C-alpha cells in the first residue's frame, strides 16, 4: 500500500506481543538501560486478554529476570504439592508411578498459575520501568528497510472495508520503527510466518509440529478441590486415533483448569478434537471431580510440538523470533513459558550490546548462540526425541523409549537414538476420508459436555462483523472441490470454535466461514490438508477476552 501515508514513530526496540517472551524482553532492556525507548504492541483488548488462565510455571525464567519477584507480588501463589500421571481406559485408570520418571518431569518447585495474571503483573513491572505498552494494537504488516532488513511494523489499522480495501472511514494506522524488531506473537504468528518464509529460516530444519490445546476453567465443589494438585493423563478417549492427553490443575478459589491436547498429525479426517475433549470429561475419574461444578471459561490455542530439531533460525536482519514464535515448548513437560521468558531476556541482552555498539538492522547472532547453547537449548535438546517417537511408534513405545532417552540425556548428556526427524508436516499427515471410518461422538449433555457454540460464548470472543474476514482462503473453490470429496472437509471438525461449516444452498454444498467465532487458535492455518487457509491478524482488540481469574 505505497499510496497510504502514515506517521512513523522511532524506537530502539519494537516488540510485537505482550506475552511472557515480549514482556521479559521489554523488562530486561529497561533493566540494562533505562534510556532505551521500548514499545510493546498487543493485539488483545488488554494484556492477558488472549491468554486463557491455567498453567504450571517453572519459575526459572522469572528467577533470572526478576529475582525478587516474590517481594514484588508476582501472582505465583499455588505451589505444586503433588504430581499424578494416569493411563486411562474407558471405564478406569492406572496410575503411572512417579519414581521411574526422569527428574525433569517432576513439578515440585513449580507453580500453578493464571498466565493471564502473570502477564498483567509483568506488564506493570515493565511500565514502572518506562516501557510503553499499547493494547488493542494489531500489527498487520512488516516494514522493510532499504537493505531488505525488518525495520518496523504497521499497527493500528482500523475500519477497513469488508473486501479489505481502504475506505473513507479507514484509520491507516502508523509505522513503528526500531533498530530491532522482536516478534513474540505466540504460535504460528502471521508476521513470524512471513519472516520465516522470506529469509528461509526453516531451511534445513525439521517441519514444525503442532497440537491443539483446549481448556476450560471450572469452579468445583470445595470438598473435591485439592489446591496444588497436578494431574496428567494419556490414552482414552484418543487411543490409536491420535496422540495427545489431558491436564487437570487445581488452583486456588476452588478452581480447576481442565485441558485436553490433540496432536495435529492425526491421519483420520473424521477425527473431531473438540468432541474428544468433551468425551474425556465423561471418564468416571473426571466426571466425579466436575460433578456439581460449573464451567466459567473456555478457550483454545495451538501448541508448538516440534521441539529442538524444528526450531527455525531465530534471527534475520533487524528481527528476532522469541518464545513460541520459534517453538520453544518442552512437549513432555507441557511447558514453554519459562523458555519464553528466557528467550526474551536473551534477545534483550543481545540487542542492548548491539545498540551500545551503535549497530542496528543486522542479525543478532549472539541471541541465536545464547538460545542454542544455553538453558533453552539444553531443556529442548534433552527431550527432542519424545515427540517423533510418539508419532512413529505410538504411545506405549514412546513412554518406554522416550523415558529411556530422557534418562540417558539427563545422566550422560547423550541420546542412544541421535536426533530423530518428524517427516511430514501436520497438514500432509491427513489421509483421504475413504481410508478411515467416521467416528460416532455422543451428543453433549449440557452438564459436563457442551456444544462448540455454547462453549465459544465462554471465550467472550468478539470481532467487528463489518471488517474483512481475517481467515483468508487461497482459493475459494478448494473447500468444496477438493477438501469435501477427498477429506470430508475436516475444517468442520478440527476448528474448536465452529468457524467453518458446509451448508446446502440451492441444492449444492457451500463453505461458510463464521470468522466472528474465531478464538485465534490458528489450527486451520496448520491442519488444512490443502494449506488453503491463512490466519491473519484481525483488527486490534478483537478476538477472545479471557476472564481475569
Amino acid at each position: 500500500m505505497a499510496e497510504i501515508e502514515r506517521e512513523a514513530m522511532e524506537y530502539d526496540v519494537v516488540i510485537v506481543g505482550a506475552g511472557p517472551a515480549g514482556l521479559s524482553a521489554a523488562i530486561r532492556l529497561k533493566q540494562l538501560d533505562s534510556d532505551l525507548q521500548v514499545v510493546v504492541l498487543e493485539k488483545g483488548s488488554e494484556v492477558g486478554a488472549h491468554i486463557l488462565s491455567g498453567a504450571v510455571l517453572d519459575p526459572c525464567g522469572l528467577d533470572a529476570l526478576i529475582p525478587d519477584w516474590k517481594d514484588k507480588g508476582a501472582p505465583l501463589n499455588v505451589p505444586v504439592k503433588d504430581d499424578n500421571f494416569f493411563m486411562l481406559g474407558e471405564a478406569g485408570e492406572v496410575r503411572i508411578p512417579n519414581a521411574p520418571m526422569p527428574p525433569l518431569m517432576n513439578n515440585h518447585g513449580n507453580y500453578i498459575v493464571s498466565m493471564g495474571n502473570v502477564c498483567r503483573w509483568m506488564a506493570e513491572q515493565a511500565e514502572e520501568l518506562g516501557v510503553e505498552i499499547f493494547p488493542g494494537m494489531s500489527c498487520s504488516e512488516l516494514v522493510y528497510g532499504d537493505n531488505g532488513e525488518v525495520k518496523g511494523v504497521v499497527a493500528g489499522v482500523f475500519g477497513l472495508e469488508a473486501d479489505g480495501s481502504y475506505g473513507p472511514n479507514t484509520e491507516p494506522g502508523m509505522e513503528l520503527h526500531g533498530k530491532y524488531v522482536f516478534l513474540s506473537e505466540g504460535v504460528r504468528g502471521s508476521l513470524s510466518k512471513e519472516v520465516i518464509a522470506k529469509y528461509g529460516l526453516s531451511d534445513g530444519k525439521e517441519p514444525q509440529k503442532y497440537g491443539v490445546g483446549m481448556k476450560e476453567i471450572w469452579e468445583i465443589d470445595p470438598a473435591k478441590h485439592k489446591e496444588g494438585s497436578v494431574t496428567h493423563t494419556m490414552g482414552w478417549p484418543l487411543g490409536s486415533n491420535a496422540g495427545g492427553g489431558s491436564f487437570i490443575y487445581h488452583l486456588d478459589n476452588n478452581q480447576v483448569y481442565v485441558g485436553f491436547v490433540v496432536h495435529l498429525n492425526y491421519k483420520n479426517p473424521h477425527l473431531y478434537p473438540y468432541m474428544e475433549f468433551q468425551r474425556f470429561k465423561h471418564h468416571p475419574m473426571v466426571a466425579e471431580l466436575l460433578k456439581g461444578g460449573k464451567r466459567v471459561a473456555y478457550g483454545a490455542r495451538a501448541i508448538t510440538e516440534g521441539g529442538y530439531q524444528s526450531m527455525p533460525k531465530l534471527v534475520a536482519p533487524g528481527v528476532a523470533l522469541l518464545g513460541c514464535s520459534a517453538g520453544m515448548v518442552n512437549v513432555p513437560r507441557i511447558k514453554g513459558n519459562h523458555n519464553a521468558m528466557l528467550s526474551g531476556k536473551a534477545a534483550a541482552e543481545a540487542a542492548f550490546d548491539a545498540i551500545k555498539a551503535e549497530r542496528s538492522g543486522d542479525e543478532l547472532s549472539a541471541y541465536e548462540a545464547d538460545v542454542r547453547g544455553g538453558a533453552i537449548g539444553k531443556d529442548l535438546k534433552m527431550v527432542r526425541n519424545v515427540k517423533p517417537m510418539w508419532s512413529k511408534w505410538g504411545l506405549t513405545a514412546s513412554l518406554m523409549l522416550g523415558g529411556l532417552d530422557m534418562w540417558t540425556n539427563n545422566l550422560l548428556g547423550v541420546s542412544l537414538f541421535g536426533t530423530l526427524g518428524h517427516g511430514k508436516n501436520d497438514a500432509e499427515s491427513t489421509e483421504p476420508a475413504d481410508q478411515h471410518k467416521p467416528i460416532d461422538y455422543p451428543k453433549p449433555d449440557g452438564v459436563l459436555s457442551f456444544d462448540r457454540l455454547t462453549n465459544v460464548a465462554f471465550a467472550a470472543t468478539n470481532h467487528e462483523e463489518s471488517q474483512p474476514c481475517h481467515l483468508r482462503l487461497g482459493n475459494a473453490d478448494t473447500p468444496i472441490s477438493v477438501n469435501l470429496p477427498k477429506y470430508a472437509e475436516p475444517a468442520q471438525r478440527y476448528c474448536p470454535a465452529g468457524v467453518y461449516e458446509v451448508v446446502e444452498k440451492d441444492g449444492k454444498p457451500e463453505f461458510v466461514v463464521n470468522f466472528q467465532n474465531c478464538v485465534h487458535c490458528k489450527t486451520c492455518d496448520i491442519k488444512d490438508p490443502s494449506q488453503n487457509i491463512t490466519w491473519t491478524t484481525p483488527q486490534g482488540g478483537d478476538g477472545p477476552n479471557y476472564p481475569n481469574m
Side-chain angles (χ1 to χ4, degrees):
M1 303 297 294
E3 71 277 12
I4 302 299
E5 292 187 7
R6 299 186 176 96
E7 295 182 9
M9 295 181 66
E10 302 294 331
Y11 290 89
D12 291 301
V13 180
V14 174
I15 301 172
V16 180
L23 291 170
S24 294
I27 289 168
R28 186 59 179 152
L29 283 162
K30 295 295 275 188
Q31 287 174 340
L32 291 167
D33 185 348
S34 61
D35 292 329
L36 287 174
Q37 298 300 304
V38 181
V39 64
V40 178
L41 303 163
E42 166 57 38
K43 65 182 173 67
S45 59
E46 63 171 336
V47 174
H50 289 178
I51 301 177
L52 180 61
S53 302
V56 172
L57 178 66
D58 180 339
C60 66
L62 209 50
D63 289 339
L65 183 70
I66 307 174
D68 58 345
W69 54 264
K70 288 185 180 179
D71 296 334
K72 291 181 179 292
L76 279 68
N77 303 315
V78 181
V80 174
K81 295 177 182 176
D82 62 87
D83 259 335
N84 304 286
F85 297 86
F86 291 97
M87 182 69 73
L88 300 187
E90 186 170 0
E93 67 280 344
V94 175
R95 181 167 182 179
I96 302 172
N98 293 59
M101 295 186 182
L104 64 92
M105 299 296 290
N106 190 332
N107 274 310
H108 289 279
N110 298 332
Y111 294 81
I112 303 173
V113 300
S114 157
M115 279 310 298
N117 284 344
V118 170
C119 287
R120 291 181 181 99
W121 175 82
M122 291 179 71
E124 293 173 1
Q125 308 309 303
E127 287 180 323
E128 287 178 6
L129 292 170
V131 175
E132 295 180 39
I133 301 177
F134 298 137
M137 292 285 279
S138 287
C139 297
S140 53
E141 299 176 43
L142 291 166
V143 179
Y144 294 98
D146 294 337
N147 298 314
E149 79 281 10
V150 174
K151 79 170 200 177
V153 297
V154 174
V157 178
F158 290 92
L160 291 171
E161 299 293 296
D163 63 0
S165 63
Y166 280 63
N169 297 317
T170 300
E171 297 178 29
M174 62 191 312
E175 293 187 4
L176 294 97
H177 299 166
K179 295 181 175 71
Y180 296 97
V181 175
F182 291 170
L183 299 181
S184 49
E185 302 172 284
V187 177
R188 198 78 167 190
S190 52
L191 301 185
S192 302
K193 189 177 172 184
E194 178 180 333
V195 164
I196 290 169
K198 178 179 176 65
Y199 297 103
L201 302 186
S202 285
D203 293 353
K205 310 292 185 183
E206 286 294 310
Q208 186 59 265
K209 306 293 285 184
Y210 299 90
V212 56
M214 298 153 286
K215 188 185 299 179
E216 294 172 357
I217 304 176
W218 281 70
E219 292 179 358
I220 66 169
D221 182 345
K224 300 176 183 178
H225 186 254
K226 299 178 181 179
E227 184 175 305
S229 177
V230 168
T231 295
H232 293 98
T233 78
M234 294 172 286
W236 190 88
L238 291 173
S240 61
N241 286 324
S246 82
F247 54 90
I248 301 172
Y249 302 151
H250 290 243
L251 196 69
D252 48 8
N253 301 319
N254 300 317
Q255 288 188 345
V256 174
Y257 303 146
V258 183
F260 197 80
V261 177
V262 177
H263 300 171
L264 288 176
N265 62 347
Y266 61 83
K267 298 176 181 179
N268 184 352
H270 298 295
L271 188 80
Y272 197 159
Y274 175 84
M275 289 306 299
E276 296 287 353
F277 175 32
Q278 298 306 305
R279 184 160 61 166
F280 158 76
K281 290 182 291 176
H282 285 274
H283 187 276
M285 183 182 78
V286 185
E288 178 58 32
L289 175 68
L290 301 181
K291 183 179 178 181
K294 66 176 182 178
R295 157 213 50 175
V296 297
Y298 166 74
R301 183 63 54 88
I303 303 166
T304 54
E305 296 185 338
Y308 185 81
Q309 55 270 59
S310 296
M311 197 162 54
K313 183 180 177 183
L314 305 176
V315 295
V319 65
L321 304 176
L322 277 56
C324 282
S325 290
M328 297 183 183
V329 171
N330 183 312
V331 173
R333 297 185 74 199
I334 320 180
K335 291 179 181 62
N337 289 310
H338 63 300
N339 285 337
M341 293 179 184
L342 291 172
S343 74
K345 179 176 179 290
E349 289 168 353
F352 166 73
D353 288 340
I355 293 170
K356 187 177 179 181
E358 299 184 349
R359 290 162 40 207
S360 66
D362 60 343
E363 293 191 1
L364 292 172
S365 56
Y367 167 58
E368 180 95 27
D370 192 326
V371 169
R372 304 255 178 210
I376 298 172
K378 181 180 179 181
D379 185 57
L380 297 179
K381 196 170 184 179
M382 202 181 307
V383 301
R384 66 191 182 278
N385 289 325
V386 174
K387 169 65 175 175
M389 284 177 174
W390 197 334
S391 300
K392 294 173 187 292
W393 303 323
L395 174 58
T396 303
S398 74
L399 280 174
M400 297 173 61
L401 298 177
L404 173 64
D405 195 50
M406 286 189 283
W407 267 112
T408 59
N409 272 287
N410 182 72
L411 296 174
L412 306 175
V414 297
S415 169
L416 301 177
F417 302 91
T419 298
L420 300 177
H422 294 299
K424 299 176 181 177
N425 66 36
D426 293 327
E428 294 168 338
S429 298
T430 312
E431 294 180 347
D434 61 10
Q435 296 181 16
H436 298 273
K437 293 181 179 180
I439 302 172
D440 184 24
Y441 290 99
K443 184 178 178 180
D445 66 359
V447 179
L448 290 178
S449 50
F450 313 96
D451 66 81
R452 278 185 300 189
L453 295 186
T454 299
N455 236 357
V456 166
F458 283 78
T461 194
N462 179 67
H463 296 82
E464 178 60 48
E465 294 193 18
S466 63
Q467 70 176 290
C469 176
H470 64 281
L471 302 163
R472 311 257 175 94
L473 300 181
N475 185 321
D477 296 330
T478 296
I480 301 302
S481 65
V482 178
N483 285 358
L484 185 60
K486 187 172 183 179
Y487 302 104
E489 187 41 275
Q492 302 173 89
R493 293 173 293 280
Y494 61 57
C495 173
V499 169
Y500 303 101
E501 293 181 279
V502 175
V503 301
E504 187 172 307
K505 184 176 182 181
D506 299 327
K508 296 181 179 180
E510 181 176 294
F511 191 64
V512 177
V513 181
N514 305 300
F515 74 89
Q516 300 90 342
N517 294 352
C518 182
V519 294
H520 298 193
C521 73
K522 306 171 190 167
T523 301
C524 55
D525 193 298
I526 297 162
K527 186 59 177 173
D528 181 66
S530 298
Q531 288 291 269
N532 189 52
I533 302 174
T534 299
W535 186 95
T536 62
T537 298
Q539 186 170 277
D542 285 354
N545 288 277
Y546 294 132
N548 187 349
M549 293 292 185

